[in-house]
């Protein structure tokens, strides 16, 4: 018990010292930037948020993004399931995979 207390007494000031050093270095080395209207305005999807005229959003870009997200989520879900496949009941997993792929294909056709 005494060993843990001694380690805490040595460790806590060391952590505080490292935090203060990192904070001091970040304050000293920060960039001094003049405020600029263009650089400080928010930038989202390439649109100028300060103007009233907005270009229509590209539907093709949106569909490609949605399809990418669908297949990205599919890979995240399928890889662990494939890893567990040899250790499980084959009929149960074939039904689960079929249902999952059916939902995925219906979402793809919907898009």
């Amino acid at each position: 018990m005494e060993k843990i207390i001694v380690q805490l007494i040595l460790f806590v000031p060391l952590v505080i010292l490292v935090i203060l050093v990192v904070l001091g270095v970040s304050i000293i080395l920060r960039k001094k930037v003049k405020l600029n209207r263009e650089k400080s305005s928010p930038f989202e999807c390439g649109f100028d948020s300060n103007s009233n005229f907005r270009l229509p959003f590209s539907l093709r870009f949106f569909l490609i993004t949605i399809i990418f997200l669908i297949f990205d989520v599919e890979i995240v879900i399928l890889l662990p399931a494939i890893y567990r496949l040899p250790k499980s009941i084959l009929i149960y997993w074939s039904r689960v995979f079929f249902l999952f792929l059916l939902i995925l294909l219906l979402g793809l056709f919907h898009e």
Side-chain angles (χ1 to χ4, degrees):
M1 187 68 176
E2 292 178 10
K3 188 175 182 180
I4 294 174
I5 294 174
V6 171
Q7 288 176 347
L8 282 176
I9 291 173
L10 294 175
F11 185 68
V12 171
L14 181 66
V15 169
I16 292 172
L17 179 67
V18 168
I19 290 172
L20 290 175
V21 168
V22 169
L23 184 65
V25 168
S26 69
I27 289 173
I28 291 171
L29 296 179
R30 72 177 179 202
K31 290 184 177 181
K32 310 262 190 285
V33 179
K34 294 180 183 178
L35 290 178
N36 186 352
R37 180 177 177 261
E38 292 294 324
K39 288 185 179 180
S40 63
S41 67
F43 180 79
E44 295 183 16
C45 300
F47 295 118
D48 183 16
S49 62
N50 295 328
S51 69
N52 291 331
F53 177 72
R54 293 190 183 243
L55 298 173
F57 190 75
S58 171
L59 185 61
R60 183 171 181 234
F61 174 75
F62 175 74
L63 289 177
I64 290 172
T65 305
I66 294 298
I67 290 171
F68 172 76
L69 288 176
I70 287 172
F71 285 106
D72 194 36
V73 170
E74 173 198 4
I75 290 172
V76 167
I77 292 174
L78 282 180
L79 285 180
I82 292 171
Y83 176 73
R84 294 292 299 170
L85 185 63
K87 300 174 186 173
S88 60
I89 301 169
L90 188 60
I91 296 198
Y92 171 74
W93 278 105
S94 63
R95 290 179 186 166
V96 170
F97 280 138
F98 178 74
L99 182 64
F100 179 74
L101 291 175
L102 181 69
I103 292 171
L104 185 69
L105 286 173
L106 288 175
L108 182 62
F109 289 137
H110 178 72
E111 286 298 321

